[in-house]
Amino acid sequence: MRITKLYKLTSVALMVTLLLFTIAPLQVALAAPLLDKSDTMTSLKVDTPSDHSIVFRTPSGVHATTSTITVTFPAEFAMGSVAFGDMELDHSAGGQSSCDGVAFSNSETLAASAGVGEWGVSVSGQVITFTPPTDATTDEIANNACVRINIGDTNKITNPDTADNYAIAIAGGFGDTGDIYIIILDDDQVLITATVDEILTFTISENEITFGTLSASTDRYADATSGSDTEVTAHNLIAGTNAVGGYAITTIGNTLTYGSTTIDAIGNISAASATGTEQFGLRMEASGGEGVVSAPFATTAEFAFQADTLQEVASSAVSSADTTYSVRYLANIASNTPAGPYTATLTYVATATF
């Protein structure tokens, strides 16, 4: 009889205990896995200092002073002298569905230890700990917010001296955890080579120009069609080079000639047009690049030319993008200049100084 009562009493006690667990189950806080994890480094090369830009999305967020965030580097990384002054902690203004293209608009103030409105940052061995401000409250970092931790400024963390895969662990009192895997390479650079040859470009826009019919009462200027009574550009010389010493353009040729008859060249001292007096000459204007017109061909409204003499007409003292030289030619005759078809041939040569 006593045995029966004891059995019943034990059964009742067990039922009460089960009922209590059913009504009030044990509360256990489970860590959530971090999402959208990445670490963008400035170098993946072995034994090389590198910056780290660590990004993750925290399902649990940070809501209390005890919600620390820790970043643990493998033992093969040399932490050096990194401190809070080499780091930044930013996060999005609220929860996000993804960290792609997100704005890290909230930048936290960091200090050696936590204070009012300041996150504390400490480095112990391989572990960097971020401690929330002493006045941290709910939504210090919102649930599902994207967090970015930048490490590296004056001081940087040095990569392992062995190429391999490594895991950086994110954890702490905020409750979420996750590993970010990175790869360290023997060399992360590609050497690209190229050769630029020494170059001189030189073009003449028109190879045949004419004054048309000359007159003792009118100045005549050459062009590519029939000549002009007003000054015009007959053709362009275009020159450019990568030569460090630049280039020079020279010309040599005869004055206007018909048989044994010639029209006087102006000479190597520039002069203005003198209607009714025999003259043959040219002048230039330069635009673009570093090139300049040489004397005596640079004077506005004055012309020069020394027949059968090599003369420098333009130059650049340094390497230069294309310079366009507009060339103008003048011809005048006297009333007694013999009639006939006159011609002149000028040879232009560009020479670079490499």
Side-chain angles (χ1 to χ4, degrees), residues 58-125:
T58 167
S60 301
V62 172
H63 304 286
T65 58
T66 56
S67 300
T68 57
I69 300 173
T70 61
V71 180
T72 303
F73 283 82
E76 293 85 353
F77 285 79
M79 303 301 287
S81 300
V82 289
F84 74 91
D86 302 304
M87 305 184 203
E88 296 175 345
L89 173 60
D90 310 310
H91 57 90
S92 59
Q96 308 291 322
S97 59
S98 169
C99 290
D100 290 339
V102 72
F104 295 93
S105 55
N106 289 12
S107 296
E108 301 296 344
T109 301
L110 305 182
S113 59
V116 176
E118 294 181 334
W119 283 69
V121 180
S122 62
V123 181
S124 178

Side-chain angles (χ1 to χ4, degrees), residues 214-217 263-264 274-279 331-338:
L214 301 180
S215 170
S217 61
I263 293 175
D264 292 339
T275 306
T277 300
E278 286 192 359
Q279 290 179 307
N332 277 314
I333 59 172
S335 58
N336 64 344
T337 299

Side-chain angles (χ1 to χ4, degrees), residues 7-90:
Y7 173 79
K8 289 182 178 180
L9 183 58
T10 303
S11 298
V12 171
L14 179 60
M15 290 177 61
V16 171
T17 302
L18 290 174
L19 182 60
L20 287 173
F21 274 99
T22 303
I23 296 173
L26 192 62
Q27 301 294 315
V28 178
L30 298 177
L34 293 169
L35 306 171
D36 299 334
K37 301 169 294 180
S38 67
D39 181 12
T40 302
M41 301 170 60
T42 54
S43 177
L44 299 177
K45 187 176 180 179
V46 293
D47 201 28
T48 301
S50 176
D51 295 341
H52 294 257
S53 184
I54 296 171
V55 172
F56 56 84
R57 182 156 57 95
T58 167
S60 301
V62 172
H63 304 286
T65 58
T66 56
S67 300
T68 57
I69 300 173
T70 61
V71 180
T72 303
F73 283 82
E76 293 85 353
F77 285 79
M79 303 301 287
S81 300
V82 289
F84 74 91
D86 302 304
M87 305 184 203
E88 296 175 345
L89 173 60
D90 310 310

Side-chain angles (χ1 to χ4, degrees), residues 169-331:
I170 311 296
F174 75 128
D176 297 340
T177 59
D179 290 338
I180 300 175
Y181 290 90
I182 58 175
I183 186 169
I184 300 300
L185 306 175
D186 286 322
D187 198 341
D188 61 352
Q189 296 179 328
V190 175
L191 175 64
I192 302 172
T193 64
T195 300
V196 178
D197 289 334
E198 297 169 335
I199 298 171
L200 170 67
T201 60
F202 182 56
T203 59
I204 302 173
S205 64
E206 295 287 346
N207 294 99
E208 291 189 18
I209 57 176
T210 183
F211 288 103
T213 301
L214 301 180
S215 170
S217 61
T218 305
D219 303 337
R220 291 295 288 175
Y221 299 90
D223 62 20
T225 54
S226 58
S228 172
D229 290 339
T230 58
E231 183 178 333
V232 293
T233 297
H235 62 88
N236 293 319
L237 308 179
I238 304 173
T241 186
N242 61 0
V244 294
Y247 62 83
I249 301 174
T250 58
T251 190
I252 189 170
N254 60 308
T255 184
L256 288 167
T257 302
Y258 168 52
S260 60
T261 303
T262 60
I263 293 175
D264 292 339
I266 293 173
N268 59 9
I269 298 176
S270 64
S273 175
T275 306
T277 300
E278 286 192 359
Q279 290 179 307
F280 174 73
L282 64 90
R283 77 178 194 88
M284 296 184 181
E285 293 183 356
S287 62
E290 303 296 329
V292 295
V293 179
S294 303
F297 305 100
T299 305
T300 301
E302 292 189 359
F303 298 79
F305 184 72
Q306 187 74 31
D308 303 316
T309 301
L310 186 68
Q311 292 180 284
E312 180 183 287
V313 293
S315 68
S316 174
V318 296
S319 60
S320 173
D322 285 350
T323 297
T324 298
Y325 301 94
S326 59
V327 189
R328 294 94 183 278
Y329 296 87
L330 167 72

